[in-house]
Amino acid sequence: MHTTAQDTADVAIIGAGIAGASLAWALARGHEGAPPQRVLLLEREDQPGYHTTGRSAALYMASYGTPAIRALTRASRDFYDAPPTGFADHPLLSPRGVLHVATAAELPALVALQAELQAIDPSVRRASQAELLAAVPVLRPEAAVAGLVEDSAADIDVHALHQGYLRGARTAGATLLTKAELAGLARGDNGAWTLHLADGRQLRARQVVNAAGAWADVVGTLAGAAPIGLEPRRRSAFTFAPPEGVDASRWPAVAAVVADHGPDGEAWYIKPDAGLILGSPANADLVAPHDVVPEELDIALGIHRIEAATTLEIRRPRSTWAGLRSFVADGDMVIGPDPAVPGFFWLAAQGGYGIQSAPGAAALAASLLLGQPLPPALRREGVDAAASSPGRLRR
């Protein structure tokens, strides 16, 4: 499909990361029996998912996030376990598991976390120090006095997921435009939007979806919408080699339990990753939206924390990177029509949860965009559209 000033798409989605790609897939195919939508998917970079989707730690954890985000994550599990035929040529999930480990000082926080997680996943269980050290022998005993085991956590093949959405959307008729930087938005008297691109092109669509990640408030301003108060936060990570002769590939991921450290309550985590180990200080540093790079201090802090909690020696990381995780004040996502700008729809503030909840978030967004009732999978998990509504931020 080629859209000109005389050829109006049903929906233009700004941003082709996991949020935009998954919604484009749902709309172009015909969500829950609705007619397929004519979709334009715009990405300002050379490749979709450059800033955040491609820099994810790639873990499915039903316990991760606010209650509303956890509901979307649980509603996504069926898709991950059994994606549509042809979506990917191998499973999207592979078993991993997570250990939440606590020092003696953090045992009260561990007890509170156990009660919270078991309320949503009864399979989460307490683990003794002996069990923790047997599962990940490099843990120092003082860093793992006790812990929790979350067996249902799994690795996500983010590349296969993202490419499956993009390929499926294009096959269904969606048009993906890269190097398509939005410079302006104007809504005409007939309700249709004209999208002005930086290279001079003009496109038209009846509805515009703001899936621009850390730049969502910038795009909102172009549409005349009030800001949602988006806060992009830098998270840095690195990979390093396991000890010589040690096969770490079957280790679970390990995250420290900390009573008060950042929006996610973590001080460090490690996770096996393609023959190496991925590590992070679990930082959440407020920054302006930009092509973020890791700060040396972040990497040094992560190395220090991991070496203090384990016997691992990290002489030189193999690679380092950073990504932006964008939040609003209450930590929930922003999914829904703008309360003051007709035809403008928010799909933003995924935080660090956009990959694990992508199928559920796309189903919620598609239902709201098309004026449909929520699908059974979302209702079954208690997804409440009001919890993600942009209107909640402006009361």
Side-chain angles (χ1 to χ4, degrees), residues 203-265:
L203 308 169
R204 286 196 176 180
R206 293 183 178 86
Q207 298 191 79
V208 172
V209 174
N210 182 3
W215 286 263
D217 262 341
V218 176
V219 170
T221 299
L222 294 177
I228 58 173
L230 198 67
E231 294 186 348
R233 293 184 174 272
R234 182 183 68 246
R235 172 152 297 186
S236 301
F238 52 93
T239 57
F240 58 95
E244 187 173 352
V246 172
D247 179 10
S249 62
R250 297 185 182 278
W251 289 356
V254 183
V257 174
V258 179
D260 184 16
H261 182 86
D264 296 318

Side-chain angles (χ1 to χ4, degrees), residues 97-348:
V98 173
L99 303 183
H100 303 269
V101 299
T103 65
E106 300 298 344
L107 286 178
L110 180 71
V111 172
L113 181 64
Q114 180 177 0
E116 183 181 358
L117 298 191
Q118 286 181 335
I120 58 174
D121 182 358
S123 70
V124 172
R125 56 186 174 81
R126 187 74 172 259
S128 66
Q129 183 182 68
E131 184 178 357
L132 299 173
L133 299 182
V136 183
V138 297
L139 285 169
R140 296 187 188 275
E142 61 270 24
V145 172
L148 302 176
V149 179
E150 190 173 348
D151 288 320
S152 63
D155 286 338
I156 304 173
D157 188 330
V158 176
H159 179 75
L161 176 68
H162 193 210
Q163 291 303 310
Y165 279 133
L166 291 171
R167 181 174 56 251
R170 291 195 299 265
T171 299
T175 297
L176 170 64
L177 299 178
T178 57
K179 300 182 181 179
E181 182 174 357
L182 187 68
L185 278 169
R187 187 167 180 267
D189 293 338
N190 63 353
W193 290 91
T194 299
L195 292 80
H196 301 270
L197 304 188
D199 61 8
R201 284 179 290 175
Q202 293 186 13
L203 308 169
R204 286 196 176 180
R206 293 183 178 86
Q207 298 191 79
V208 172
V209 174
N210 182 3
W215 286 263
D217 262 341
V218 176
V219 170
T221 299
L222 294 177
I228 58 173
L230 198 67
E231 294 186 348
R233 293 184 174 272
R234 182 183 68 246
R235 172 152 297 186
S236 301
F238 52 93
T239 57
F240 58 95
E244 187 173 352
V246 172
D247 179 10
S249 62
R250 297 185 182 278
W251 289 356
V254 183
V257 174
V258 179
D260 184 16
H261 182 86
D264 296 318
E266 301 167 313
W268 59 269
Y269 62 80
I270 57 173
K271 171 183 172 295
D273 185 76
L276 300 172
I277 299 174
L278 182 153
S280 174
N283 55 313
D285 304 306
L286 182 63
V287 295
H290 68 290
D291 185 9
V292 66
V293 296
E295 298 287 338
E296 289 186 10
L297 181 60
D298 293 346
I299 303 304
L301 183 61
I303 291 173
H304 169 74
R305 289 176 176 174
I306 292 167
E307 288 187 335
T310 72
T311 59
L312 293 167
E313 296 181 1
I314 309 171
R315 292 187 172 86
R316 180 177 298 175
R318 293 286 183 88
S319 62
T320 64
W321 68 95
L324 293 177
R325 297 151 42 96
S326 298
F327 298 85
V328 291
D330 62 9
D332 279 319
M333 296 184 187
V334 181
I335 303 175
D338 189 274
V341 182
F344 188 75
F345 190 98
W346 294 84
L347 178 53

Side-chain angles (χ1 to χ4, degrees), residues 53-79:
T53 298
R55 309 182 192 191
S56 166
L59 198 63
Y60 176 96
M61 291 175 62
S63 66
Y64 197 40
T66 66
I69 289 169
R70 290 169 178 172
L72 288 171
T73 300
R74 295 193 304 271
S76 301
R77 185 68 192 233
D78 287 348
F79 182 97

